[in-house]
Amino acid sequence: MSFPRILVSCVGLSIAMLSSGAALAEFPDRPIRLVVPFPPGGSVDSVARLVSVQLSERLKQQVVIDYKPGAATIVGAETVARSTPDGYTLLLGTSTTFVVNPIIYRKLNYNADTSFDPIGVLGSNSLVLLANQGVAAQTLPQLLADIKSKPGTYSYGSHGTGSTVNFAGEMLWNAAGVKVLHVPYKGSAPAMTDVMGGQIPLSFDAVPASVAALKSGKIRALAVTGPKRNPMLPNVPTVAESGFPGFRMDSWFAIVAPKGVPAAARQKLVTELAKTMADPGLQEKLVNLGFEPEYGAPAKYTESVKADTVTLTPVAKANNMMQD
């Protein structure tokens, strides 16, 4: 090859490398889609809206929420898992998405470990054990004593078989050595209606969804299932405080991307999400929703998936939660 050709080739290669580097350095150069696998209006939606506004400001590009509800978050998770791994499609999922579904469904078109690149854990929602006014017990120890003295008379409602609240219930009853009949509902609202109306004595639900119902006086909170008291229910003890040290069952939230996002784009998302979640104003707004912000780097996602899978798999097997 002659000198001019070598020169032209080197110049062309340099231009291509500079162009490629400039394009990557400019990430993101168009709006980012944040898939929320729940319908609008719930606690996950509220968190997504607040975080997306702050993250948009950090990235200097709009983060647009795209609702893909259905099949216990499976529809949204599969949508993101199949998306182009360029950093422009993200998923805000929960422990239901990343832990519960892989445990209870034998056939999924996504894998929590191999289908996603974690961007960060946002925090968690505690669950709360609710009792209607027909239940005499004022505390969890009193309730458990009554259940033991009247075997076969208590039942509790959940969002459905295999839901996080179903797991919370079975973990508690197993720890206490009691049997309580599980009554699965198709979602939070019908379960809440029946516990308030006296059709079932007990139920578990997320703290944000329970606060308004508690104000009615028709139900009361006996314990929260998170590791610490919830700011929205400061006078309600944790299950751990009520005689079960180490007990924890909450719903944690995380943002992930499809597997294979370019390293520079992924690092940009990780860095800006960490800064977003560190904002005191955002944290205050999230706490006011009953959410417990606690940012975790991508490694925290991996640790949480592994730890929760080890904890919850035996519960699912013991209570026949596995489904095809």
Side-chain angles (χ1 to χ4, degrees):
M1 184 181 291
S2 65
F3 178 75
R5 286 186 179 181
I6 293 174
L7 181 61
V8 169
S9 297
C10 289
V11 170
L13 180 60
S14 298
I15 292 173
M17 291 175 67
L18 287 170
S19 299
S20 175
L24 194 57
E26 291 171 0
F27 175 88
D29 60 5
R30 63 180 187 271
I32 292 173
R33 179 173 64 139
L34 178 62
V35 173
V36 173
F38 294 89
S43 59
V44 181
D45 178 31
S46 298
V47 172
R49 288 173 183 270
L50 289 173
V51 172
S52 65
V53 169
Q54 293 275 9
L55 189 57
S56 296
E57 294 178 2
R58 292 280 181 186
L59 293 170
K60 296 181 173 56
Q61 281 290 342
Q62 186 176 11
V63 178
V64 181
I65 297 177
D66 184 10
Y67 300 101
K68 296 286 184 184
T73 78
I74 293 174
V75 172
E78 290 181 347
T79 297
V80 173
R82 293 193 302 264
S83 298
T84 303
D86 54 10
Y88 288 95
T89 300
L90 305 174
L91 171 72
L92 198 170
T94 69
S95 48
T96 293
T97 313
F98 306 121
V99 179
V100 172
N101 287 342
I103 289 174
I104 66 174
Y105 294 105
R106 292 182 175 89
K107 297 178 181 178
L108 278 180
N109 291 323
Y110 72 87
N111 182 291
D113 295 319
T114 61
S115 297
F116 304 113
D117 280 333
I119 305 302
V121 176
L122 306 185
S124 62
N125 262 346
S126 291
L127 306 175
V128 56
L129 171 59
L130 305 169
N132 64 36
Q133 294 302 329
V135 176
Q138 301 294 311
T139 66
L140 178 57
Q142 291 174 1
L143 172 67
L144 295 174
D146 201 41
I147 291 173
K148 289 179 180 179
S149 69
K150 303 172 184 175
T153 61
Y154 274 89
S155 62
Y156 79 101
S158 82
H159 300 179
T161 299
S163 61
T164 53
V165 291
N166 183 197
F167 274 97
E170 296 307 326
M171 286 173 65
L172 177 56
W173 311 139
N174 181 66
V178 299
K179 294 291 185 181
V180 179
L181 178 66
H182 175 224
V183 182
Y185 287 82
K186 292 182 178 180
S188 169
M192 184 67 76
T193 297
D194 274 10
V195 73
M196 291 177 69
Q199 281 73 34
I200 52 173
L202 307 170
S203 184
F204 286 84
D205 211 324
V207 168
S210 305
V211 170
L214 286 165
K215 290 178 180 178
S216 72
K218 296 181 179 180
I219 56 174
R220 61 180 173 276
L222 298 184
V224 293
T225 64
K228 57 185 178 182
R229 295 193 182 198
N230 188 279
M232 295 188 81
L233 300 173
N235 296 321
V236 179
T238 64
V239 172
E241 287 179 273
S242 303
F244 301 92
F247 186 98
R248 175 176 184 171
M249 181 60 201
D250 48 13
S251 180
W252 52 266
F253 296 20
I255 291 181
V256 301
K259 194 73 173 180
V261 172
R266 183 185 179 192
Q267 187 56 53
K268 178 76 170 180
L269 291 167
V270 170
T271 299
E272 298 308 327
L273 179 62
K275 292 178 180 177
T276 293
M277 295 305 299
D279 182 87
L282 174 62
Q283 291 183 2
E284 182 179 3
K285 292 176 182 177
L286 291 171
V287 168
N288 289 337
L289 290 174
F291 186 73
E292 299 168 59
E294 186 178 358
Y295 174 77
K300 177 64 176 176
Y301 166 88
T302 303
E303 293 169 6
S304 297
V305 169
K306 289 181 179 179
D308 286 3
T309 299
V310 169
T311 299
L312 300 184
T313 298
V315 179
K317 289 181 178 179
N319 292 279
N320 299 313
M321 295 182 187
M322 269 60 167
Q323 303 177 37
D324 292 327

